[in-house]
Amino acid sequence: QVQLQLWGAGLLKPSETLSLTCAVYGGSFNNYYWTWIRQSPGKGLEWIGDINHYGATSYNWVLGGRAAISTDTSKNQFSLRLASLTAADMATYYCARRPHSGFDFWSQGDLVTVSS
Amino acid sequence: YELTQPPSVSVSPGQTATITCSGHKLGEKLACWYHQKPGQAPILVIYADSKRPSGISERLSAFNSGNTATLTISGTQAMDEGDYYCQAWDGGCYVFGTGTTLTVL
């Protein structure tokens, strides 16, 4: 069974950079896209971006280039860095796996708070 | 690109619940559906318009055509309560619907 485990800092200040890492257990790391998604009460679910095992990335343009996703294939892990945080970035963050259609395995959520 | 869902749907136990998702030419894209309960991550219940992942009840079915994708839950049970989100891919960006809260009265 595939499991995704997410960890990272939960309380940050405005202008700081969010760093989250997701480890994938079980299944293949190849042949999938590895995705970051967030959920806030005001905006609902929002796709942040994804990466494949080759390192090819795609991002949601609404983030204005603040997001960066990377992988460590030796550890079956991928990471998110989101720069220049504001209160609008407060949300529960998830990592997930994407095969051809849909996000089929998700991590537990990680609540990120941005406050001075 | 926007996907619009009704905020809430109510249904009696054993009846059929229908949740819609509207978006411009949505039928030309692949739609997915997710079920989320409070405090939990969403679960994929439909992918590629109408396919059920392993372990998802046959009571769930879906269809996508024109500007509307539709999720149908037959014989609705208390365990079906929660939020349902549609999702589609639009030109390199994955978009989620506004969400529908299903209440089984």
Side-chain angles (χ1 to χ4, degrees):
Chain A
Q1 179 73 337
V2 176
Q3 291 186 341
L4 282 74
Q5 183 175 2
L6 162 62
W7 69 87
L11 177 60
L12 295 124
K13 294 181 170 57
S15 80
E16 289 187 334
T17 296
L18 170 67
S19 291
L20 297 173
T21 297
C22 184
V24 180
Y25 301 101
S28 171
F29 194 73
N30 299 339
N31 303 317
Y32 295 100
Y33 284 84
W34 302 98
T35 304
W36 292 97
I37 294 166
R38 67 183 183 182
Q39 184 174 31
S40 60
K43 290 186 178 180
L45 287 162
E46 184 177 46
W47 175 76
I48 296 171
D50 59 27
I51 190 168
N52 65 15
H53 68 283
Y54 294 115
T57 54
S58 297
Y59 298 103
N60 191 332
W61 63 271
V62 301
L63 294 172
R66 296 188 295 123
I69 301 174
S70 58
T71 61
D72 184 340
T73 55
S74 68
K75 297 180 180 179
N76 282 9
Q77 294 178 1
F78 61 108
S79 299
L80 169 70
R81 288 176 61 84
L82 184 63
S84 305
L85 291 175
T86 70
D89 295 310
M90 285 201 296
T92 297
Y93 285 71
Y94 298 96
C95 56
R97 187 181 83 167
R98 178 173 70 82
H100 176 63
S101 175
F103 305 103
D104 61 353
F105 286 96
W106 296 60
S107 66
Q108 82 287 1
D110 184 43
L111 179 62
V112 172
T113 302
V114 181
S115 175
S116 55
Chain B
Y1 188 75
E2 295 182 352
L3 295 174
T4 302
Q5 301 177 234
S8 63
V9 168
S10 297
V11 65
S12 300
Q15 299 302 305
T16 297
T18 300
I19 300 173
T20 59
C21 173
S22 298
H24 180 63
K25 295 186 178 180
L26 178 56
E28 297 180 9
K29 312 176 193 302
L30 288 177
C32 302
W33 290 90
Y34 301 84
H35 178 203
Q36 184 179 34
K37 295 186 178 182
Q40 299 182 16
I43 295 173
L44 179 68
V45 295
I46 295 287
Y47 68 98
D49 288 343
S50 61
K51 295 180 170 59
R52 284 187 308 275
S54 174
I56 299 302
S57 172
E58 293 180 353
R59 297 184 295 103
L60 275 67
S61 62
F63 181 75
N64 184 21
S65 179
N67 294 319
T68 304
T70 302
L71 174 69
T72 301
I73 307 171
S74 59
T76 307
Q77 304 173 6
M79 63 185 292
D80 299 320
E81 282 196 329
D83 294 331
Y84 288 83
Y85 296 91
C86 58
Q87 173 255 308
W89 178 84
D90 178 63
C93 186
Y94 292 87
V95 178
F96 290 90
T98 50
T100 299
T101 298
L102 176 66
T103 302
V104 181
L105 297 173

